Amino acid sequence: MLKKIYLEITDICNLSCSFCHGTLREPRMMSAEEFSSITEKIRGRAEYLYFHLMGEPLMHPGLPAFIRMASGKGFKPVLTTNGTLLPERGGEILQTPLYKINISLHSAEANPGRAWKGYAEGCIAFAKSTARKGILTVFRLWNKGGLETNNGALLSVLKAGYPGEWEKTRSGYRLADRTFIEFGEKFDWPDTHAQKHEGEMFCYALRDQVGILCDGTVVPCCLDAEGIMALGNIHSSDLEAVLSSEKARKIYDGFSSHRASEELCTRCGYAAVTKKYRVRDK
């Protein structure tokens, strides 16, 4: 059983973040029928269902219904968002059985031409509402080693919203009940034109996670933005067949030996960074 499946319900986003790979795929939103069929096929195959890969999930009008459907099929629904649409759609989300929401605060520094007044305050207001509903909220600042010019201002707003001593955690701090901030290293997305990394590499692809693009294409991980390493399509096959394919096994076995079997993986900054956290099969 996988820990998480990344299900992209749309590849459309309302921002153009400098840290994000983006996609050249056709702009698309998954239909309710497609979502129902896919979640039925992957039912029982993962604990968490992440509404993310490319795109901003809050742009999808069917998101609240999708969250309810996922929960009804035994998944813990997790939402990853840039947070800009929470003032408009947060009320709907609060009425769903959402398990957790990740808010990427580093989106602010990645779109310098946008007006961000009130952004952090709006995210905090939503997080306080989610805590009362029993939903976990994680603020993300995944920009260590990159542009961190806005971090001081964001942290000041968070400190005002959550005064007092913050409790240290493994990757950040606990700000309040069910509310956390997490810091992470900036990494380079895998791209055919990116620099090739030498030496050992490791990734949790197919070991911990798998991704499904909004057209049903199954990819090994949440960073294959263009579906270059497509393993099959969930609409025409089942997940078991896709994960047991020769290509999938080569990727899995390669990372078990701390090497990348796919050319795209050798150009992934995350796999290069993650090698120091690698784990061996038991």
Side-chain angles (χ1 to χ4, degrees), residues 186-200:
K186 176 186 177 296
F187 61 87
D188 296 321
W189 282 67
D191 186 272
T192 53
H193 302 295
Q195 178 184 352
K196 191 170 184 176
H197 297 276
E198 303 295 338
E200 293 186 350

Side-chain angles (χ1 to χ4, degrees), residues 16-47:
S16 182
C17 296
S18 59
F19 61 78
C20 180
H21 183 280
T23 180
L24 297 175
R25 289 181 283 123
E26 176 187 0
R28 194 178 192 282
M29 288 199 178
M30 185 177 287
S31 70
E33 293 74 20
E34 288 171 329
F35 185 86
S36 177
S37 174
I38 290 173
T39 49
E40 194 60 39
K41 284 191 169 189
I42 63 176
R43 184 200 285 253
R45 296 306 311 270
E47 182 178 4

